[in-house]
Amino acid sequence: MSTVRPQVAPFLDPDTETWSYVVYDHPGGHAAVIDPVLDFDNKSGRTSTDGAQRLVDFVREQALTVDWILETHAHADHLSAAPFVRDAVGGRIGIGEHIREVQGIFRQVFNLEKQFLCDGSQFDHLFSEEDTFHIGALTGRVFHTPGHTPADMAWLIGDALFVGDTLFLPDVGTARCDFPGGDARTLYRSIQRLLALPDSTRMFMCHDYPPAGREHQCETTVAAQKRGNIHVHEGISEEAFVAMREQRDATLEMPRLILPAIQVNIRAGQMPPAEDNGVVYLKVPVNRL
């Protein structure tokens, strides 16, 4: 773990309740952008970069050099703005190597074009379990945390852990496991690896769905999760967690943006190729999911 304590700037996308982050060593230094969001109006099919522009503006205000744009997984609830951020301020788009499995699953679901390759080549870099990387004076460590999807990753940068959809704040619980390739037992084991980190480790969420009366928050600690997570606090067995998670998942609707989001996010945030009329289309598989 790096001896430099990272500075973390959080940015909330209210529409999808997604937290994006700029993580950096110091003003004028180096940074990573984590899980940037592309605004998407599902009714009209229009995109905008207003939300992601806030991250870009912050990077420029702090005179940061962006080394990485990191995706915790191929999100089902928002479209990625990684290409926009890379074009604006640089950086390499990274994700876990198991994105190949997710690409293979959804290539079949969406019957994607023959040219689409399920090899992760759409991304600038594929990370493996226990890889390390650098952001200026900061050192990052990679955790493969499958369960929500096969390709989920957590990024430990200094004392800051970015958990993606694996965990939510203690009063919200844990991620669903009913997407293709998800598994509740696998998620439990992934979570236990994260909860084995030092109690003081800061945890940063990808989403927050606050109960009534609480504002959106993005940060907790390993100790707080072990003590109070409503789904997986200390003393909850694997069997009890799996039973709870599977029963709960059976009642959940699909995320509002899952169909457009997955088609874009398995391409590292790029849209599908335009058709012969110059227009980009996103598919809706009927009676498939």
Side-chain angles (χ1 to χ4, degrees):
M1 186 180 291
S2 170
T3 57
V4 176
R5 195 169 196 256
Q7 300 189 49
V8 180
F11 297 83
L12 177 66
D13 174 57
D15 181 55
T16 62
E17 297 180 287
T18 302
W19 287 104
S20 303
Y21 300 94
V22 178
V23 189
Y24 59 107
D25 51 3
H26 56 82
H30 290 253
V33 175
I34 299 178
D35 292 335
V37 176
L38 180 71
D39 303 322
F40 182 75
D41 179 8
N42 207 30
K43 298 185 295 297
S44 67
R46 289 196 167 274
T47 65
S48 78
T49 56
D50 292 348
Q53 186 65 47
R54 294 183 298 150
L55 282 71
V56 168
D57 290 345
F58 180 85
V59 165
R60 290 172 174 164
E61 289 164 3
Q62 298 295 316
L64 299 171
T65 298
V66 175
D67 296 329
W68 292 102
I69 303 162
L70 301 174
E71 299 282 9
T72 52
H73 62 298
H75 309 273
D77 34 37
H78 69 267
L79 282 65
S80 171
F84 168 76
V85 174
R86 182 179 60 186
D87 291 347
V89 291
R92 302 172 69 197
I93 301 174
I95 200 168
E97 64 180 348
H98 292 275
I99 188 63
R100 302 180 186 114
E101 297 174 39
V102 177
Q103 290 175 326
I105 291 168
F106 286 103
R107 178 175 183 169
Q108 299 301 317
V109 170
F110 292 108
N111 193 30
L112 298 179
E113 70 278 2
K114 293 179 181 179
Q115 295 79 10
F116 179 81
L117 300 177
C118 300
D119 61 0
S121 59
Q122 300 82 357
F123 297 83
D124 297 321
H125 186 79
L126 300 182
F127 286 93
S128 302
E129 169 73 10
E130 294 294 339
D131 277 354
T132 58
F133 59 97
H134 296 281
I135 306 164
L138 301 172
T139 299
R141 177 182 166 197
V142 177
F143 287 81
H144 179 215
T145 54
H148 174 60
T149 80
D152 277 66
M153 306 297 278
W155 312 105
L156 179 63
I157 303 170
D159 72 336
L161 180 68
F162 299 86
V163 299
D165 282 9
T166 301
L167 281 162
F168 301 134
L169 285 173
D171 60 358
V172 180
T174 58
R176 65 193 297 167
C177 300
D178 58 330
F179 295 156
D183 181 77
R185 194 172 301 279
T186 301
L187 180 66
Y188 181 88
R189 295 172 183 177
S190 293
I191 290 171
Q192 296 311 309
R193 292 182 60 234
L194 300 183
L195 296 184
L197 290 167
D199 281 355
S200 60
T201 304
R202 296 182 288 164
M203 279 191 170
F204 292 90
M205 308 296 106
C206 185
H207 295 282
D208 186 29
Y209 309 110
R214 176 169 72 72
E215 297 295 323
H216 284 91
Q217 298 174 17
C218 66
E219 182 180 350
T220 184
T221 64
V222 166
Q225 293 282 25
K226 288 161 60 174
R227 182 174 59 249
N229 187 288
I230 60 173
H231 293 166
V232 72
H233 60 75
E234 285 182 318
I236 298 292
S237 70
E238 182 174 316
E239 295 303 323
F241 175 81
V242 170
M244 175 282 300
R245 190 69 264 171
E246 291 181 346
Q247 181 179 24
R248 181 177 174 82
D249 288 350
T251 70
L252 300 177
E253 295 182 350
M254 286 291 100
R256 173 170 53 95
L257 296 181
I258 185 171
L259 296 178
I262 290 293
Q263 293 175 73
V264 171
N265 294 340
I266 61 174
R267 302 172 188 270
Q270 300 287 353
M271 292 291 170
E275 298 196 8
D276 56 10
N277 62 354
V279 178
V280 170
Y281 292 89
L282 295 168
K283 295 182 175 181
V284 177
V286 178
N287 297 327
R288 177 65 176 82
L289 294 176

